Amino acid sequence: MLTISRKRIYKNHKEDLWKNFSGDEGPHTEQLTKRNLIRYSENFILESGLFGPGARILVGVSGGPDSMALLSILAEMRPRWGLDLLVLHCHHGLRKEADEEEALVRSWAKKWNCPFFRRKLPVRAFQKQSGRSLQEAARELRYQAFSQVAKQKKAGLVALAHTADDQAEEFLIGLIRGAGLGGLAGMPVKRGQFIRPLLRVYRSDVYNYLEMEKIPFREDPSNRDFRYLRSRVRYHLLPELKKYSPNILAQLNQTTQLLQKDEEYLQRNTEQIAAELISPSGDSLCIPRHSLAALPQALGSRLIQKALALGLGHLRQVRAVHILSILEGARKSGKQGQIPLPQGWAARWDNTMIQLGPAGQETPPLKPFSYIISKAQEVYIQETGDRISFRRKKYSPKSPLLPKNRQVARVDLKKISWPLLIRNTQPGDRIRPLGLEGSKKVSRFFMDRKLPRALRPRIPLIFSEGEIVWVAGMEIGRAFKVEPQSRWILEIEYHPTLPR
Protein backbone atom coordinates (compact mmCIF):
# COMPACT_ATOMS: atom_id res chain seq x y z
CA MET A 1 0.00 0.00 0.00
CA LEU A 2 1.36 3.38 -1.05
CA THR A 3 1.63 5.69 1.97
CA ILE A 4 4.02 8.30 0.61
CA SER A 5 2.58 11.79 0.09
CA ARG A 6 3.66 14.86 -1.83
CA LYS A 7 3.67 16.91 1.38
CA ARG A 8 5.91 14.39 3.11
CA ILE A 9 8.37 14.27 0.20
CA TYR A 10 8.61 18.04 0.12
CA LYS A 11 9.10 18.28 3.86
CA ASN A 12 11.87 15.67 3.73
CA HIS A 13 13.65 17.43 0.88
CA LYS A 14 13.12 21.09 1.62
CA GLU A 15 16.24 21.33 3.74
CA ASP A 16 18.23 19.82 0.84
CA LEU A 17 17.49 22.63 -1.61
CA TRP A 18 20.62 24.03 -3.07
CA LYS A 19 22.52 26.52 -0.95
CA ASN A 20 25.05 27.56 -3.58
CA PHE A 21 22.89 28.25 -6.63
CA SER A 22 19.42 29.48 -7.56
CA GLY A 23 16.82 26.89 -8.53
CA ASP A 24 16.46 28.62 -11.90
CA GLU A 25 20.08 27.99 -12.84
CA GLY A 26 20.38 24.28 -12.14
CA PRO A 27 23.09 22.42 -10.24
CA HIS A 28 26.68 23.54 -10.67
CA THR A 29 28.79 20.96 -12.45
CA GLU A 30 31.64 21.09 -9.97
CA GLN A 31 29.27 20.23 -7.09
CA LEU A 32 27.36 17.52 -8.89
CA THR A 33 26.84 14.18 -7.21
CA LYS A 34 24.26 11.53 -7.89
CA ARG A 35 22.38 12.41 -4.70
CA ASN A 36 22.39 16.12 -5.57
CA LEU A 37 20.94 15.65 -9.04
CA ILE A 38 18.23 13.28 -7.81
CA ARG A 39 17.25 15.68 -5.01
CA TYR A 40 17.36 18.66 -7.34
CA SER A 41 15.10 16.85 -9.82
CA GLU A 42 12.65 15.86 -7.09
CA ASN A 43 12.40 19.42 -5.81
CA PHE A 44 11.90 20.78 -9.31
CA ILE A 45 9.15 18.21 -9.98
CA LEU A 46 7.40 19.13 -6.72
CA GLU A 47 7.66 22.87 -7.20
CA SER A 48 6.50 22.65 -10.83
CA GLY A 49 3.64 20.27 -9.99
CA LEU A 50 4.67 17.85 -12.74
CA PHE A 51 3.34 14.77 -10.96
CA GLY A 52 2.76 13.26 -7.56
CA PRO A 53 3.41 9.91 -5.88
CA GLY A 54 2.07 6.86 -7.70
CA ALA A 55 2.13 8.45 -11.17
CA ARG A 56 2.15 6.16 -14.20
CA ILE A 57 4.61 7.69 -16.68
CA LEU A 58 5.57 6.77 -20.21
CA VAL A 59 9.21 7.81 -20.72
CA GLY A 60 10.41 8.60 -24.24
CA VAL A 61 13.92 7.13 -24.54
CA SER A 62 15.92 7.50 -27.75
CA GLY A 63 19.19 6.12 -26.40
CA GLY A 64 20.78 9.58 -26.37
CA PRO A 65 22.41 11.00 -23.23
CA ASP A 66 19.48 13.16 -22.11
CA SER A 67 16.82 10.44 -22.32
CA MET A 68 19.05 7.79 -20.74
CA ALA A 69 19.70 10.18 -17.84
CA LEU A 70 15.99 10.96 -17.51
CA LEU A 71 15.06 7.30 -17.27
CA SER A 72 17.81 6.66 -14.74
CA ILE A 73 16.74 9.58 -12.54
CA LEU A 74 13.07 8.54 -12.59
CA ALA A 75 14.08 4.93 -11.85
CA GLU A 76 16.10 6.16 -8.85
CA MET A 77 13.03 8.09 -7.64
CA ARG A 78 10.67 5.17 -8.19
CA PRO A 79 10.96 3.44 -4.78
CA ARG A 80 10.34 6.64 -2.82
CA TRP A 81 7.58 7.93 -5.08
CA GLY A 82 5.91 4.65 -6.01
CA LEU A 83 6.23 5.50 -9.72
CA ASP A 84 5.02 3.18 -12.47
CA LEU A 85 7.46 3.66 -15.38
CA LEU A 86 7.08 2.47 -18.97
CA VAL A 87 9.65 2.98 -21.75
CA LEU A 88 8.84 3.86 -25.36
CA HIS A 89 11.54 3.87 -28.04
CA CYS A 90 10.75 5.30 -31.49
CA HIS A 91 12.71 3.67 -34.33
CA HIS A 92 12.91 6.15 -37.21
CA GLY A 93 14.58 3.78 -39.67
CA LEU A 94 16.79 6.58 -40.97
CA ARG A 95 20.28 5.48 -39.85
CA LYS A 96 22.18 2.22 -39.60
CA GLU A 97 22.81 2.98 -35.90
CA ALA A 98 19.06 2.89 -35.18
CA ASP A 99 19.03 -0.85 -34.43
CA GLU A 100 21.91 -0.45 -31.95
CA GLU A 101 20.06 2.39 -30.21
CA GLU A 102 16.94 0.27 -29.88
CA ALA A 103 18.95 -2.66 -28.46
CA LEU A 104 20.59 -0.34 -25.92
CA VAL A 105 17.28 1.11 -24.72
CA ARG A 106 15.65 -2.33 -24.59
CA SER A 107 18.48 -3.77 -22.46
CA TRP A 108 18.52 -0.87 -20.00
CA ALA A 109 14.73 -0.81 -19.71
CA LYS A 110 15.04 -4.46 -18.67
CA LYS A 111 17.86 -3.59 -16.26
CA TRP A 112 15.65 -0.94 -14.64
CA ASN A 113 12.69 -3.34 -14.68
CA CYS A 114 10.52 -1.11 -16.93
CA PRO A 115 8.11 -2.48 -19.57
CA PHE A 116 9.56 -1.71 -23.02
CA PHE A 117 7.64 -0.67 -26.13
CA ARG A 118 8.94 0.27 -29.58
CA ARG A 119 7.28 1.93 -32.53
CA LYS A 120 8.71 1.90 -36.05
CA LEU A 121 7.94 5.27 -37.63
CA PRO A 122 7.49 5.70 -41.42
CA VAL A 123 9.31 9.03 -41.41
CA ARG A 124 10.33 9.29 -45.07
CA ALA A 125 6.90 8.28 -46.36
CA PHE A 126 5.23 10.80 -44.03
CA GLN A 127 7.73 13.49 -45.04
CA LYS A 128 6.90 12.97 -48.72
CA GLN A 129 3.17 12.92 -48.05
CA SER A 130 3.10 15.97 -45.76
CA GLY A 131 5.73 18.12 -47.48
CA ARG A 132 7.48 18.77 -44.16
CA SER A 133 11.18 18.66 -43.44
CA LEU A 134 12.65 15.37 -42.28
CA GLN A 135 13.02 16.63 -38.70
CA GLU A 136 9.47 18.03 -38.61
CA ALA A 137 8.05 14.76 -39.97
CA ALA A 138 9.98 12.71 -37.39
CA ARG A 139 8.86 14.99 -34.56
CA GLU A 140 5.20 14.83 -35.59
CA LEU A 141 5.24 11.02 -35.76
CA ARG A 142 7.03 10.76 -32.40
CA TYR A 143 4.39 12.85 -30.66
CA GLN A 144 1.65 10.79 -32.29
CA ALA A 145 3.33 7.61 -31.04
CA PHE A 146 3.75 9.04 -27.52
CA SER A 147 0.06 9.94 -27.33
CA GLN A 148 -1.16 6.63 -28.78
CA VAL A 149 0.97 4.40 -26.54
CA ALA A 150 0.19 6.50 -23.45
CA LYS A 151 -3.52 6.07 -24.17
CA GLN A 152 -3.21 2.33 -24.86
CA LYS A 153 -1.18 1.70 -21.70
CA LYS A 154 -3.20 4.10 -19.55
CA ALA A 155 -0.21 6.30 -18.73
CA GLY A 156 -1.35 9.72 -17.63
CA LEU A 157 1.96 11.43 -18.43
CA VAL A 158 4.68 11.32 -21.08
CA ALA A 159 8.16 12.38 -19.89
CA LEU A 160 10.45 14.03 -22.45
CA ALA A 161 14.18 14.63 -21.91
CA HIS A 162 14.61 18.26 -23.00
CA THR A 163 17.25 20.12 -20.99
CA ALA A 164 18.10 23.73 -20.22
CA ASP A 165 20.49 23.70 -23.20
CA ASP A 166 17.59 22.69 -25.47
CA GLN A 167 15.56 25.57 -24.06
CA ALA A 168 18.31 28.09 -24.81
CA GLU A 169 18.63 26.71 -28.35
CA GLU A 170 14.86 26.94 -28.82
CA PHE A 171 14.94 30.63 -27.85
CA LEU A 172 17.70 31.42 -30.35
CA ILE A 173 15.99 29.46 -33.14
CA GLY A 174 12.78 31.38 -32.48
CA LEU A 175 14.70 34.65 -32.54
CA ILE A 176 16.35 33.77 -35.87
CA ARG A 177 13.02 32.78 -37.43
CA GLY A 178 11.27 35.93 -36.28
CA ALA A 179 8.98 34.27 -33.72
CA GLY A 180 6.77 36.37 -31.49
CA LEU A 181 6.59 36.25 -27.71
CA GLY A 182 5.01 32.79 -27.76
CA GLY A 183 7.88 31.33 -29.78
CA LEU A 184 10.53 33.03 -27.68
CA ALA A 185 8.95 31.68 -24.48
CA GLY A 186 10.31 28.28 -25.48
CA MET A 187 9.09 24.91 -24.28
CA PRO A 188 6.76 24.73 -21.28
CA VAL A 189 7.64 22.49 -18.36
CA LYS A 190 4.23 20.88 -18.78
CA ARG A 191 1.70 20.98 -21.60
CA GLY A 192 -1.18 18.57 -21.39
CA GLN A 193 0.18 15.10 -20.73
CA PHE A 194 3.74 16.00 -21.77
CA ILE A 195 6.23 16.88 -19.03
CA ARG A 196 9.92 17.89 -19.11
CA PRO A 197 11.52 17.02 -15.75
CA LEU A 198 15.05 17.98 -16.92
CA LEU A 199 14.22 21.42 -18.29
CA ARG A 200 16.30 23.14 -15.58
CA VAL A 201 19.24 20.70 -15.83
CA TYR A 202 22.19 21.50 -18.10
CA ARG A 203 23.65 19.09 -20.62
CA SER A 204 27.09 19.21 -18.94
CA ASP A 205 25.47 17.92 -15.73
CA VAL A 206 23.80 15.13 -17.70
CA TYR A 207 27.13 13.96 -19.16
CA ASN A 208 28.81 14.04 -15.74
CA TYR A 209 25.95 12.06 -14.22
CA LEU A 210 26.11 9.40 -16.94
CA GLU A 211 29.89 9.10 -16.51
CA MET A 212 29.60 8.70 -12.73
CA GLU A 213 26.86 6.11 -13.06
CA LYS A 214 28.59 4.37 -16.00
CA ILE A 215 25.41 4.55 -18.08
CA PRO A 216 26.04 4.12 -21.83
CA PHE A 217 24.32 6.20 -24.50
CA ARG A 218 24.38 6.78 -28.25
CA GLU A 219 24.97 10.19 -29.83
CA ASP A 220 22.77 10.93 -32.85
CA PRO A 221 25.16 11.84 -35.73
CA SER A 222 22.49 14.13 -37.21
CA ASN A 223 23.03 16.44 -34.22
CA ARG A 224 26.24 17.53 -35.98
CA ASP A 225 24.68 17.81 -39.43
CA PHE A 226 25.06 21.52 -40.10
CA ARG A 227 22.32 21.51 -42.69
CA TYR A 228 20.01 21.75 -39.69
CA LEU A 229 19.57 25.11 -37.98
CA ARG A 230 19.60 23.58 -34.50
CA SER A 231 23.03 22.04 -35.12
CA ARG A 232 24.43 25.37 -36.29
CA VAL A 233 22.97 27.11 -33.24
CA ARG A 234 24.37 24.46 -30.88
CA TYR A 235 27.88 24.17 -32.27
CA HIS A 236 28.45 27.57 -33.89
CA LEU A 237 26.25 30.30 -32.44
CA LEU A 238 26.21 29.35 -28.76
CA PRO A 239 29.99 28.95 -28.49
CA GLU A 240 30.38 32.41 -29.99
CA LEU A 241 27.84 33.90 -27.55
CA LYS A 242 29.70 32.31 -24.63
CA LYS A 243 32.71 34.42 -25.59
CA TYR A 244 30.62 37.52 -24.82
CA SER A 245 28.81 36.06 -21.79
CA PRO A 246 30.08 32.80 -20.24
CA ASN A 247 26.75 32.44 -18.43
CA ILE A 248 24.66 32.79 -21.60
CA LEU A 249 22.76 29.50 -21.12
CA ALA A 250 21.45 30.56 -17.71
CA GLN A 251 20.60 34.03 -19.00
CA LEU A 252 18.64 32.68 -21.95
CA ASN A 253 16.77 30.26 -19.69
CA GLN A 254 15.90 33.04 -17.26
CA THR A 255 14.57 35.08 -20.18
CA THR A 256 12.35 32.23 -21.39
CA GLN A 257 10.93 31.77 -17.89
CA LEU A 258 10.01 35.46 -17.66
CA LEU A 259 8.47 35.39 -21.14
CA GLN A 260 6.47 32.28 -20.27
CA LYS A 261 4.76 34.12 -17.40
CA ASP A 262 3.78 36.95 -19.76
CA GLU A 263 2.64 34.47 -22.39
CA GLU A 264 0.49 32.53 -19.91
CA TYR A 265 -1.31 35.73 -18.90
CA LEU A 266 -1.94 36.76 -22.51
CA GLN A 267 -3.10 33.27 -23.48
CA ARG A 268 -5.69 33.23 -20.69
CA ASN A 269 -7.13 36.47 -22.02
CA THR A 270 -7.00 35.14 -25.58
CA GLU A 271 -8.99 32.03 -24.63
CA GLN A 272 -11.81 34.21 -23.34
CA ILE A 273 -11.80 36.40 -26.46
CA ALA A 274 -11.61 33.39 -28.80
CA ALA A 275 -14.75 31.95 -27.21
CA GLU A 276 -16.53 35.16 -28.21
CA LEU A 277 -15.12 35.82 -31.66
CA ILE A 278 -14.01 32.64 -33.48
CA SER A 279 -16.80 30.83 -35.33
CA PRO A 280 -16.72 27.93 -37.81
CA SER A 281 -18.10 28.26 -41.31
CA GLY A 282 -17.73 25.13 -43.42
CA ASP A 283 -14.02 24.26 -43.55
CA SER A 284 -13.07 27.81 -42.56
CA LEU A 285 -12.96 29.85 -39.37
CA CYS A 286 -14.31 33.38 -39.17
CA ILE A 287 -13.43 36.37 -36.98
CA PRO A 288 -15.42 39.63 -37.03
CA ARG A 289 -13.11 42.10 -38.73
CA HIS A 290 -13.89 45.18 -36.67
CA SER A 291 -13.67 43.25 -33.39
CA LEU A 292 -10.21 41.98 -34.37
CA ALA A 293 -9.10 45.45 -35.44
CA ALA A 294 -10.15 46.89 -32.07
CA LEU A 295 -7.98 44.48 -30.04
CA PRO A 296 -4.48 45.40 -28.85
CA GLN A 297 -1.91 43.77 -31.10
CA ALA A 298 -0.74 41.43 -28.33
CA LEU A 299 -4.23 39.90 -28.13
CA GLY A 300 -5.14 40.23 -31.81
CA SER A 301 -2.06 38.31 -32.94
CA ARG A 302 -2.75 35.52 -30.45
CA LEU A 303 -6.38 35.33 -31.54
CA ILE A 304 -5.24 34.75 -35.14
CA GLN A 305 -2.74 32.14 -33.95
CA LYS A 306 -5.51 30.42 -31.99
CA ALA A 307 -7.77 30.31 -35.06
CA LEU A 308 -4.98 28.99 -37.30
CA ALA A 309 -4.01 26.35 -34.73
CA LEU A 310 -7.63 25.18 -34.63
CA GLY A 311 -7.80 25.03 -38.43
CA LEU A 312 -4.34 23.68 -39.30
CA GLY A 313 -3.75 21.65 -36.16
CA HIS A 314 -0.38 23.35 -35.53
CA LEU A 315 1.56 26.56 -36.18
CA ARG A 316 4.87 25.12 -37.39
CA GLN A 317 4.96 26.99 -40.72
CA VAL A 318 3.11 30.09 -39.56
CA ARG A 319 5.43 33.10 -39.34
CA ALA A 320 5.11 36.55 -37.82
CA VAL A 321 4.66 38.03 -41.31
CA HIS A 322 1.45 36.01 -41.76
CA ILE A 323 0.00 37.17 -38.45
CA LEU A 324 0.93 40.82 -39.00
CA SER A 325 -0.46 40.82 -42.54
CA ILE A 326 -3.83 39.56 -41.32
CA LEU A 327 -3.88 42.20 -38.59
CA GLU A 328 -3.04 44.88 -41.13
CA GLY A 329 -5.84 43.63 -43.38
CA ALA A 330 -8.31 43.84 -40.51
CA ARG A 331 -7.33 47.44 -39.81
CA LYS A 332 -7.14 48.72 -43.38
CA SER A 333 -9.94 50.91 -44.66
CA GLY A 334 -10.28 48.83 -47.85
CA LYS A 335 -13.20 46.42 -47.92
CA GLN A 336 -11.63 43.30 -49.44
CA GLY A 337 -8.29 41.54 -49.57
CA GLN A 338 -6.49 38.25 -49.11
CA ILE A 339 -3.05 36.76 -48.43
CA PRO A 340 -1.71 33.19 -48.85
CA LEU A 341 -1.00 31.11 -45.75
CA PRO A 342 0.98 27.87 -45.23
CA GLN A 343 -0.42 24.46 -46.16
CA GLY A 344 -2.71 25.74 -48.92
CA TRP A 345 -4.70 28.07 -46.70
CA ALA A 346 -5.51 31.73 -47.22
CA ALA A 347 -6.85 34.66 -45.21
CA ARG A 348 -9.65 36.61 -46.92
CA TRP A 349 -11.59 39.59 -45.65
CA ASP A 350 -14.49 41.79 -46.64
CA ASN A 351 -16.00 44.72 -44.81
CA THR A 352 -17.31 42.56 -41.95
CA MET A 353 -15.36 39.30 -41.65
CA ILE A 354 -11.88 37.75 -41.66
CA GLN A 355 -12.09 34.24 -43.10
CA LEU A 356 -9.26 31.71 -42.58
CA GLY A 357 -9.57 28.58 -44.68
CA PRO A 358 -8.48 26.56 -47.71
CA ALA A 359 -7.27 28.80 -50.55
CA GLY A 360 -9.64 29.18 -53.48
CA GLN A 361 -12.54 27.93 -51.43
CA GLU A 362 -15.19 30.46 -50.65
CA THR A 363 -17.52 29.60 -47.81
CA PRO A 364 -20.69 28.16 -49.36
CA PRO A 365 -23.96 29.74 -48.23
CA LEU A 366 -25.52 27.90 -45.32
CA LYS A 367 -28.54 25.83 -46.27
CA PRO A 368 -31.84 26.68 -44.54
CA PHE A 369 -32.57 24.34 -41.62
CA SER A 370 -35.79 23.54 -39.77
CA TYR A 371 -36.59 21.15 -36.90
CA ILE A 372 -39.83 20.51 -34.99
CA ILE A 373 -39.94 19.09 -31.45
CA SER A 374 -42.97 18.14 -29.39
CA LYS A 375 -41.23 17.66 -26.03
CA ALA A 376 -38.19 18.75 -24.04
CA GLN A 377 -35.17 17.04 -25.61
CA GLU A 378 -31.81 17.71 -27.28
CA VAL A 379 -31.69 18.69 -30.94
CA TYR A 380 -28.62 18.32 -33.17
CA ILE A 381 -28.53 20.83 -36.03
CA GLN A 382 -26.82 18.88 -38.78
CA GLU A 383 -26.21 21.90 -41.01
CA THR A 384 -24.05 23.72 -38.43
CA GLY A 385 -22.99 21.01 -35.97
CA ASP A 386 -24.62 22.98 -33.12
CA ARG A 387 -26.85 21.49 -30.43
CA ILE A 388 -29.78 22.88 -28.45
CA SER A 389 -31.02 21.16 -25.29
CA PHE A 390 -34.42 21.71 -23.63
CA ARG A 391 -35.13 20.85 -19.96
CA ARG A 392 -38.26 21.26 -17.78
CA LYS A 393 -37.39 22.58 -14.31
CA LYS A 394 -39.20 23.60 -11.16
CA TYR A 395 -38.77 27.35 -10.75
CA SER A 396 -37.38 28.71 -7.49
CA PRO A 397 -37.98 32.39 -6.61
CA LYS A 398 -34.36 32.49 -5.48
CA SER A 399 -33.14 31.69 -9.01
CA PRO A 400 -32.19 34.68 -11.20
CA LEU A 401 -34.79 35.51 -13.85
CA LEU A 402 -32.04 35.93 -16.44
CA PRO A 403 -29.06 33.49 -16.36
CA LYS A 404 -25.57 34.96 -16.39
CA ASN A 405 -24.56 32.54 -19.15
CA ARG A 406 -25.91 34.02 -22.37
CA GLN A 407 -25.99 30.56 -23.97
CA VAL A 408 -28.78 29.64 -21.53
CA ALA A 409 -32.34 30.97 -21.56
CA ARG A 410 -35.19 30.39 -19.11
CA VAL A 411 -38.78 30.93 -20.19
CA ASP A 412 -42.12 30.31 -18.52
CA LEU A 413 -43.21 26.79 -19.44
CA LYS A 414 -46.89 27.70 -19.08
CA LYS A 415 -46.54 30.29 -21.86
CA ILE A 416 -45.08 27.72 -24.30
CA SER A 417 -47.26 25.91 -26.83
CA TRP A 418 -45.93 22.67 -28.28
CA PRO A 419 -44.61 21.75 -30.80
CA LEU A 420 -41.71 24.18 -31.07
CA LEU A 421 -40.08 25.13 -34.36
CA ILE A 422 -36.29 25.62 -34.60
CA ARG A 423 -34.95 27.22 -37.78
CA ASN A 424 -32.60 29.90 -39.05
CA THR A 425 -33.73 33.35 -40.04
CA GLN A 426 -35.99 34.14 -43.00
CA PRO A 427 -36.94 37.50 -44.51
CA GLY A 428 -39.68 39.18 -42.48
CA ASP A 429 -38.93 37.48 -39.14
CA ARG A 430 -39.69 39.75 -36.18
CA ILE A 431 -39.00 39.54 -32.45
CA ARG A 432 -40.60 41.31 -29.49
CA PRO A 433 -37.50 41.74 -27.29
CA LEU A 434 -37.49 42.19 -23.53
CA GLY A 435 -37.63 45.84 -22.49
CA LEU A 436 -38.85 47.07 -25.88
CA GLU A 437 -42.40 48.00 -26.83
CA GLY A 438 -43.53 46.64 -30.16
CA SER A 439 -41.41 44.39 -32.36
CA LYS A 440 -38.24 44.57 -34.40
CA LYS A 441 -37.09 42.80 -37.54
CA VAL A 442 -34.60 40.07 -36.75
CA SER A 443 -32.35 41.41 -39.51
CA ARG A 444 -32.31 44.84 -37.78
CA PHE A 445 -31.81 43.12 -34.40
CA PHE A 446 -28.68 41.39 -35.78
CA MET A 447 -27.40 44.69 -37.19
CA ASP A 448 -27.94 46.48 -33.88
CA ARG A 449 -26.01 43.72 -32.10
CA LYS A 450 -23.21 44.06 -34.70
CA LEU A 451 -23.42 40.37 -35.53
CA PRO A 452 -21.29 39.70 -38.63
CA ARG A 453 -23.35 39.02 -41.73
CA ALA A 454 -21.70 35.64 -42.33
CA LEU A 455 -22.83 34.40 -38.89
CA ARG A 456 -26.47 35.44 -39.08
CA PRO A 457 -27.75 32.36 -40.98
CA ARG A 458 -26.16 30.10 -38.31
CA ILE A 459 -28.18 31.46 -35.39
CA PRO A 460 -31.15 29.24 -34.46
CA LEU A 461 -34.51 30.91 -33.79
CA ILE A 462 -37.00 29.07 -31.59
CA PHE A 463 -40.70 29.66 -32.29
CA SER A 464 -43.89 28.87 -30.38
CA GLU A 465 -47.04 29.33 -32.49
CA GLY A 466 -45.18 31.63 -34.87
CA GLU A 467 -43.64 33.88 -32.20
CA ILE A 468 -39.94 33.91 -31.37
CA VAL A 469 -39.21 32.41 -27.95
CA TRP A 470 -35.44 32.86 -28.16
CA VAL A 471 -32.81 34.07 -30.58
CA ALA A 472 -30.26 31.48 -29.47
CA GLY A 473 -27.51 32.96 -27.36
CA MET A 474 -28.87 36.50 -27.68
CA GLU A 475 -32.44 37.45 -26.63
CA ILE A 476 -35.73 35.91 -25.42
CA GLY A 477 -39.13 37.05 -26.57
CA ARG A 478 -41.01 39.34 -24.20
CA ALA A 479 -44.13 37.16 -24.19
CA PHE A 480 -42.27 34.21 -22.64
CA LYS A 481 -40.38 35.85 -19.80
CA VAL A 482 -40.31 34.22 -16.37
CA GLU A 483 -42.43 35.99 -13.74
CA PRO A 484 -41.96 35.88 -9.94
CA GLN A 485 -45.14 33.79 -9.78
CA SER A 486 -43.95 31.28 -12.42
CA ARG A 487 -43.91 27.68 -11.20
CA TRP A 488 -42.29 25.71 -14.05
CA ILE A 489 -39.72 26.88 -16.54
CA LEU A 490 -38.26 25.59 -19.77
CA GLU A 491 -34.49 25.93 -19.69
CA ILE A 492 -32.88 26.08 -23.13
CA GLU A 493 -29.13 25.78 -23.66
CA TYR A 494 -27.32 26.52 -26.91
CA HIS A 495 -24.12 24.55 -27.67
CA PRO A 496 -22.38 26.15 -30.67
CA THR A 497 -19.72 24.11 -32.45
CA LEU A 498 -17.27 26.75 -31.29
CA PRO A 499 -18.52 29.31 -28.76
CA ARG A 500 -19.23 32.72 -30.25
Side-chain angles (χ1 to χ4, degrees):
M1 181 175 176
L2 188 64
T3 59
I4 193 168
S5 71
R6 176 177 299 198
K7 184 175 181 181
R8 177 180 154 196
I9 291 174
Y10 189 77
K11 182 179 179 182
N12 291 345
H13 285 355
K14 194 168 184 180
E15 64 272 15
D16 294 320
L17 286 171
W18 300 96
K19 298 177 181 178
N20 298 316
F21 64 92
S22 104
D24 289 337
E25 294 180 354
H28 288 196
T29 300
E30 63 269 25
Q31 296 176 332
L32 182 67
T33 65
K34 171 182 173 180
R35 178 179 179 274
N36 283 344
L37 186 57
I38 300 298
R39 290 292 178 92
Y40 178 80
S41 300
E42 287 184 311
N43 285 321
F44 174 66
I45 288 166
L46 284 165
E47 291 169 0
S48 303
L50 293 189
F51 57 82
R56 183 173 173 87
I57 305 172
L58 179 69
V59 188
V61 185
S62 66
D66 300 339
S67 62
M68 292 294 285
L70 172 64
L71 180 57
S72 173
I73 290 168
L74 292 177
E76 292 283 353
M77 291 171 53
R78 180 170 49 188
R80 292 175 52 76
W81 288 64
L83 300 179
D84 189 1
L85 302 178
L86 304 87
V87 173
L88 172 62
H89 175 77
C90 292
H91 190 303
H92 297 83
L94 299 175
R95 297 178 288 102
K96 61 182 180 180
E97 301 91 351
D99 291 337
E100 296 177 7
E101 292 165 354
E102 179 183 327
L104 172 69
V105 176
R106 185 188 297 271
S107 65
W108 279 78
K110 182 178 181 180
K111 175 182 175 66
W112 280 314
N113 197 27
C114 299
F116 173 84
F117 306 94
R118 66 91 90 162
R119 290 293 182 271
K120 185 78 176 283
L121 306 181
V123 178
R124 292 202 184 277
F126 182 65
Q127 177 199 16
K128 184 176 180 180
Q129 172 193 345
S130 64
R132 299 174 187 172
S133 71
L134 193 65
Q135 286 189 326
E136 287 178 338
R139 180 183 183 278
E140 177 70 20
L141 290 178
R142 278 198 306 274
Y143 274 83
Q144 289 180 16
F146 291 147
S147 297
Q148 291 167 2
V149 175
K151 183 177 181 180
Q152 291 168 1
K153 303 304 175 184
K154 296 181 172 54
L157 297 169
V158 178
L160 306 178
H162 296 109
T163 65
D165 294 64
D166 295 313
Q167 186 74 297
E169 293 163 9
E170 196 74 13
F171 176 88
L172 293 173
I173 289 170
L175 194 64
I176 292 168
R177 289 176 171 169
L181 177 61
L184 297 178
M187 297 174 286
V189 173
K190 182 173 185 178
R191 176 178 286 157
Q193 65 183 336
F194 294 99
I195 59 173
R196 297 179 170 90
L198 299 186
L199 204 56
R200 299 291 185 269
V201 175
Y202 293 100
R203 194 171 289 132
S204 58
D205 295 316
V206 166
Y207 281 116
N208 283 355
Y209 173 78
L210 294 172
E211 183 179 357
M212 284 189 298
E213 293 300 299
K214 295 181 171 51
I215 297 172
F217 57 87
R218 297 289 183 271
E219 288 279 11
D220 183 350
S222 67
N223 288 339
R224 290 184 178 270
D225 187 339
F226 297 127
R227 291 175 297 176
Y228 299 124
L229 177 58
R230 183 174 295 277
S231 298
R232 299 196 297 274
V233 167
R234 179 176 298 180
Y235 294 107
H236 291 167
L237 181 56
L238 271 170
E240 283 297 314
L241 292 175
K242 286 179 181 178
K243 295 177 183 177
Y244 295 90
S245 175
N247 206 29
I248 188 65
L249 287 176
Q251 292 165 340
L252 292 176
N253 272 270
Q254 184 180 33
T255 299
T256 62
Q257 291 168 50
L258 293 172
L259 293 178
Q260 281 176 3
K261 296 297 182 184
D262 294 345
E263 181 65 13
E264 288 169 7
Y265 172 78
L266 291 168
Q267 286 295 346
R268 284 196 298 271
N269 283 272
T270 301
E271 289 291 335
Q272 297 173 2
I273 296 168
E276 297 285 329
L277 298 183
I278 299 176
S279 296
S281 182
D283 293 333
S284 302
L285 293 167
C286 295
I287 303 172
R289 178 177 174 178
H290 299 296
S291 299
L292 177 60
L295 290 174
Q297 181 166 314
L299 294 176
S301 62
R302 282 164 179 76
L303 182 66
I304 295 169
Q305 290 178 57
K306 176 73 173 177
L308 288 174
L310 287 170
L312 297 173
H314 57 81
L315 293 172
R316 281 189 293 277
Q317 295 172 307
V318 176
R319 301 289 181 256
V321 64
H322 299 126
I323 305 299
L324 295 175
S325 297
I326 296 171
L327 279 176
E328 183 182 357
R331 293 166 178 168
K332 274 203 256 185
S333 58
K335 289 189 176 180
Q336 294 185 335
Q338 68 175 17
I339 63 163
L341 296 172
Q343 291 193 230
W345 269 43
R348 290 178 287 270
W349 54 88
D350 56 22
N351 62 338
T352 62
M353 189 68 61
I354 301 282
Q355 178 187 334
L356 308 173
Q361 179 178 319
E362 298 294 335
T363 302
L366 187 69
K367 295 179 181 179
F369 60 82
S370 178
Y371 297 83
I372 295 176
I373 61 170
S374 56
K375 62 179 182 179
Q377 63 184 82
E378 182 171 277
V379 177
Y380 173 70
I381 302 175
Q382 187 174 358
E383 290 78 3
T384 63
D386 299 345
R387 294 179 294 113
I388 304 179
S389 55
F390 298 80
R391 293 180 291 271
R392 294 162 52 102
K393 285 191 172 182
K394 183 78 173 177
Y395 176 65
S396 168
K398 296 181 181 179
S399 301
L401 296 177
L402 296 175
K404 293 182 179 180
N405 182 356
R406 67 175 187 161
Q407 309 291 19
V408 176
R410 297 190 184 109
V411 295
D412 192 323
L413 185 60
K414 189 176 181 181
K415 299 175 182 178
I416 293 291
S417 297
W418 301 91
L420 300 181
L421 170 66
I422 306 167
R423 64 166 171 80
N424 51 356
T425 183
Q426 296 177 3
D429 285 338
R430 303 186 74 89
I431 181 175
R432 293 197 290 160
L434 280 175
L436 180 69
E437 293 297 326
S439 64
K440 177 185 287 192
K441 284 187 175 181
V442 172
S443 57
R444 169 54 64 179
F445 172 81
F446 285 153
M447 289 175 62
D448 292 345
R449 294 294 183 93
K450 294 182 172 54
L451 185 70
R453 188 181 300 275
L455 296 184
R456 296 172 192 176
R458 296 183 57 88
I459 306 301
L461 310 180
I462 301 169
F463 293 84
S464 173
E465 292 188 331
E467 183 157 0
I468 291 179
V469 177
W470 190 35
V471 179
M474 302 184 76
E475 186 67 81
I476 69 169
R478 185 172 69 247
F480 304 94
K481 68 178 182 179
V482 176
E483 310 280 1
Q485 64 271 21
S486 298
R487 299 185 61 190
W488 287 90
I489 61 171
L490 182 66
E491 185 174 89
I492 315 170
E493 186 168 1
Y494 178 38
H495 306 272
T497 311
L498 287 178
R500 286 187 296 108

